[in-house]
Amino acid sequence: MKTDFDYVIVGAGSAGCVLANRLSADPNTSVCLIEGGGSDDSPRVRIPAALLALYGNPRYDYAYQTEPEEHMNGRRIPVNRGKMLGGSSSINSMVYIRGAKEDYDRWAENGCAGWSYDDVLPLFKALERNLIGQDPRYHGFDGALCVDAARDPSPLSEMFIEAAKSVGIPRNDDFNGETLYGAGIFNLTQKKGQRWSSHTAFVKPILGRKNLTTLTGAEVTALETEGRKVTGVKLRRAGRDERITCRRELVLSAGAIGSPRILLASGIGPAEELKTLGIAPVLDLPGVGKNLQDHVDGMITLRSSSAKTLGISLRTLPRILTSPLPYFTRRRGLLTTNYVESGGFARTKYAGDLPDIQFHFVPAYRSHRGRLIELGHGYALHTCLLRPKSTGEVVLDPAGDGTKALIRNHFFSTEEDAVILADGLRIAREILAAPAFAPLNGKEILPGPKVTTEDDMLAYLREKAATSFHPTCTCKMGTDPMAVADPASLRVHGMENLRVADSSIMPDLVSGNTNAPSMMIGEKAARMILA
């Protein structure tokens, strides 16, 4: 097996697959794409509704958990991350959201020149193959990433949109257009009812390139360095220790948990912390693993007897058992659902002009016990805080060998976050109580009718809130002392040929789902390298 390459990319996720495509376009260069997980070649990955079989499955999901969260009653919060080719774009709900224009303008204003909305919009458009025919000012039509409408959205999605309108939230048919604000049906990274992951879009079409090597089941344990230069990576594969050498550039695209973990294990990070772990510091970089940000999420779930909702019951069993027929013949029916087909963005009473919460509406009963599947019927509305002030960290497990990270989100360490989210759930309740939902006759199970005051809701959030699975910002770009990557190149400050390109380089969390922004970061990094 070839072990020496010009470019080495660690992580075949949302950003890494874009990089592999762009860097291997030159046949005179050699590229190695390293993935810790395995193949994505499974109906569970391709069929949207099968995503429930991915979560928590050790073949497809790293299934991390946070350390006990001090401000959430000491609970450990699940953190699902994709463990296969395509990374989390192979396990997510396929919602295509870029974030707000103001997010990127804020990055540029705070020291990340070249990352304003006007700078990144052409990158989003270059990646996108919009199959819906939306406004060309905001969308691209010649890229590899298919963006489609839901094939057979539940009639409850329209109920949600009408209910939101009745409480003053307008309909929005394009959250990636002029404004985020409003309620509507999400665009999805799908093509004709099948998942369209980063690997499907950017790597599968180029598997014939002889200069691209993909390694799966390869856990990178550390980088090898000489002075300020990376010379290769150490990895563990099929129980054996191996080494891949790098002639030109090494790019970490292992995500907001994996990328800082690898840097720390390689001696790049806060020097004093590394010394306490018995790791000799190679470069004192205090920001590595810090500034962790994620969307904290609260849920309202209702029981209903209506079989219009998705669910498993005697009344819906015939429809479920026959669902493969319309799917495999016409790509229609139940199996096309991503479960969060609709949602939107709204403003709490604490917001300015920009929405500060996001809704994900589920036309099925979300278990009050935390189960993935619960018998019976109902519907639910998730509400997440878009721009939290609480920040956490990713650190190495002192009891491990450098391959295990500890995740500390510190959710609600800033009380303001909990207060804003509680007001978001107030709005969610107003939507669910609107006349549009009256035919379903839903009964609230969580938080439940006894939760009436703000203090009640705050207590509920500390007991039940979770994450939207959007970890970011742990190797943030910038020019301040806690910055890890240079905004002009995404090179790690102080290193010659080491870059980071994934969601970890975000200086602040974007207002929405993070898959599309991560692909944009991969595109931007590739252009930087090729320039």
Side-chain angles (χ1 to χ4, degrees):
M1 185 189 80
K2 180 179 171 64
T3 60
D4 187 35
F5 298 88
D6 293 313
Y7 297 109
V8 176
I9 303 163
V10 179
S14 298
C17 288
V18 177
L19 277 157
N21 179 294
R22 304 309 194 224
L23 297 182
S24 65
D26 180 355
N28 297 313
T29 64
S30 57
V31 179
C32 182
L33 179 63
I34 301 174
E35 170 56 37
S39 170
D40 63 340
D41 187 15
S42 168
R44 296 182 181 187
V45 178
R46 292 190 294 273
I47 298 172
L51 66 87
L52 293 181
L54 303 175
Y55 295 145
N57 186 322
R59 178 179 170 185
Y60 304 107
D61 182 4
Y62 281 106
Y64 298 119
Q65 285 195 328
T66 69
E67 291 299 283
E69 289 286 332
E70 179 183 358
H71 303 281
M72 299 178 82
N73 298 347
R75 292 183 295 128
R76 293 179 182 268
I77 311 297
V79 183
N80 301 115
R81 308 309 295 154
K83 185 184 177 184
M84 70 186 103
L85 294 168
S88 293
S89 74
S90 292
I91 197 176
N92 68 358
S93 296
M94 296 155 277
V95 175
Y96 181 77
I97 295 287
R98 299 171 181 170
K101 173 185 185 295
E102 291 84 352
D103 295 331
Y104 302 101
D105 289 343
R106 185 176 68 252
W107 289 4
E109 290 164 6
N110 291 337
C112 296
W115 290 87
S116 71
Y117 180 76
D118 288 343
D119 292 317
V120 302
L121 178 59
L123 306 180
F124 281 115
K125 291 172 68 173
L127 294 167
E128 182 184 10
R129 182 180 299 174
N130 188 282
L131 303 176
I132 314 167
Q134 290 175 304
D135 192 335
R137 291 179 298 166
Y138 303 106
H139 294 279
F141 304 92
D142 301 316
L145 180 66
C146 290
V147 176
D148 207 351
R151 296 285 280 185
D152 265 333
S154 164
L156 270 72
S157 293
E158 286 295 334
M159 285 185 183
F160 166 75
I161 295 167
E162 286 303 310
K165 285 167 63 178
S166 72
V167 300
I169 301 171
R171 186 182 186 110
N172 186 345
D173 290 320
D174 186 2
F175 296 116
N176 301 297
E178 188 172 342
T179 180
L180 277 178
Y181 184 58
I185 295 177
F186 290 126
N187 289 355
L188 305 174
T189 50
Q190 292 184 7
K191 181 180 180 183
K192 295 182 179 178
Q194 290 194 91
R195 177 188 295 273
W196 209 255
S197 71
S198 187
H199 186 254
T200 304
F202 298 103
V203 175
K204 283 187 179 178
I206 61 165
L207 289 176
R209 290 181 184 172
K210 294 186 177 6
N211 63 330
L212 174 62
T213 299
T214 301
L215 301 180
T216 56
E219 180 183 38
V220 171
T221 56
L223 309 177
E224 292 186 332
T225 58
E226 289 181 5
R228 294 292 183 258
K229 189 171 183 180
V230 175
T231 58
V233 297
K234 299 175 184 176
L235 54 88
R236 195 168 294 144
R237 194 165 176 242
R240 298 190 309 272
D241 290 330
E242 298 180 11
R243 180 174 180 266
I244 298 292
T245 57
C246 169
R247 287 191 292 265
R248 292 168 71 170
E249 300 254 10
L250 188 136
V251 187
L252 285 178
S253 296
I257 298 165
S259 288
R261 194 274 299 168
I262 292 169
L263 288 175
L264 293 168
S266 308
I268 301 172
E272 293 306 313
E273 291 183 22
L274 292 171
K275 289 175 185 176
T276 64
L277 296 169
I279 298 173
V282 169
L283 177 65
D284 183 14
L285 209 55
V288 173
K290 311 305 181 187
N291 195 44
L292 172 62
Q293 297 177 35
D294 199 349
H295 290 134
V296 62
D297 178 277
M299 176 184 72
I300 296 177
T301 186
L302 292 86
R303 277 287 194 189
S304 169
S305 61
S306 173
K308 289 182 179 179
T309 69
L310 300 178
I312 302 173
S313 69
L314 289 176
R315 287 173 295 159
T316 58
L317 201 55
R319 187 163 53 129
I320 294 169
L321 292 176
T322 58
S323 62
L325 182 61
Y327 183 78
F328 288 109
T329 57
R330 297 179 289 114
R331 293 288 186 263
R332 297 286 181 182
L334 287 177
L335 294 183
T336 66
T337 187
N338 69 321
Y339 301 103
V340 286
E341 298 163 347
S342 60
F345 297 83
R347 306 183 190 103
T348 70
K349 63 185 178 183
Y350 304 102
D353 294 334
L354 196 62
D356 56 353
I357 53 169
Q358 180 178 5
F359 297 123
H360 291 86
F361 177 70
V362 182
Y365 183 69
R366 289 306 311 271
S367 173
H368 59 287
R369 296 179 282 195
R371 296 177 178 178
L372 281 176
I373 297 175
E374 189 91 32
L375 295 177
H377 294 276
Y379 47 104
L381 188 56
H382 287 268
T383 306
C384 79
L385 177 67
L386 288 176
R387 287 175 300 282
K389 291 202 166 96
S390 303
T391 61
E393 61 181 356
V394 172
V395 299
L396 290 183
D397 183 352
D401 60 357
T403 62
K404 183 182 177 185
L406 303 181
I407 305 166
R408 298 169 180 150
N409 278 99
H410 299 318
F411 284 136
F412 299 151
S413 56
T414 301
E415 179 74 8
E416 180 184 347
D417 289 350
V419 171
I420 295 172
L421 186 54
D423 194 57
L425 289 184
R426 174 191 60 79
I427 299 170
R429 270 180 159 172
E430 290 180 1
I431 294 171
L432 294 172
F437 281 113
L440 301 179
N441 194 30
K443 305 298 181 187
E444 184 177 298
I445 305 299
L446 286 179
K450 292 183 180 179
V451 174
T452 57
T453 68
E454 182 182 87
D455 285 343
D456 292 339
M457 189 64 81
L458 291 172
Y460 165 71
L461 288 171
R462 292 189 183 96
E463 179 60 31
K464 294 292 185 182
T467 161
S468 296
F469 312 118
H470 299 153
T472 59
C473 305
T474 50
C475 298
K476 75 167 190 171
M477 62 177 168
T479 55
D480 62 276
M482 293 299 287
V484 174
D486 179 357
S489 64
L490 295 184
R491 283 197 182 94
V492 172
H493 287 300
M495 298 297 292
E496 294 177 14
N497 66 334
L498 172 61
R499 307 192 199 219
V500 182
D502 55 33
S503 66
S504 71
I505 64 96
M506 295 182 184
D508 293 298
L509 188 52
V510 295
S511 303
N513 310 69
T514 51
N515 181 37
S518 296
M519 294 185 195
M520 179 276 290
I521 289 167
E523 176 74 9
K524 180 101 168 165
R527 295 188 183 196
M528 290 170 169
I529 293 168
L530 294 172

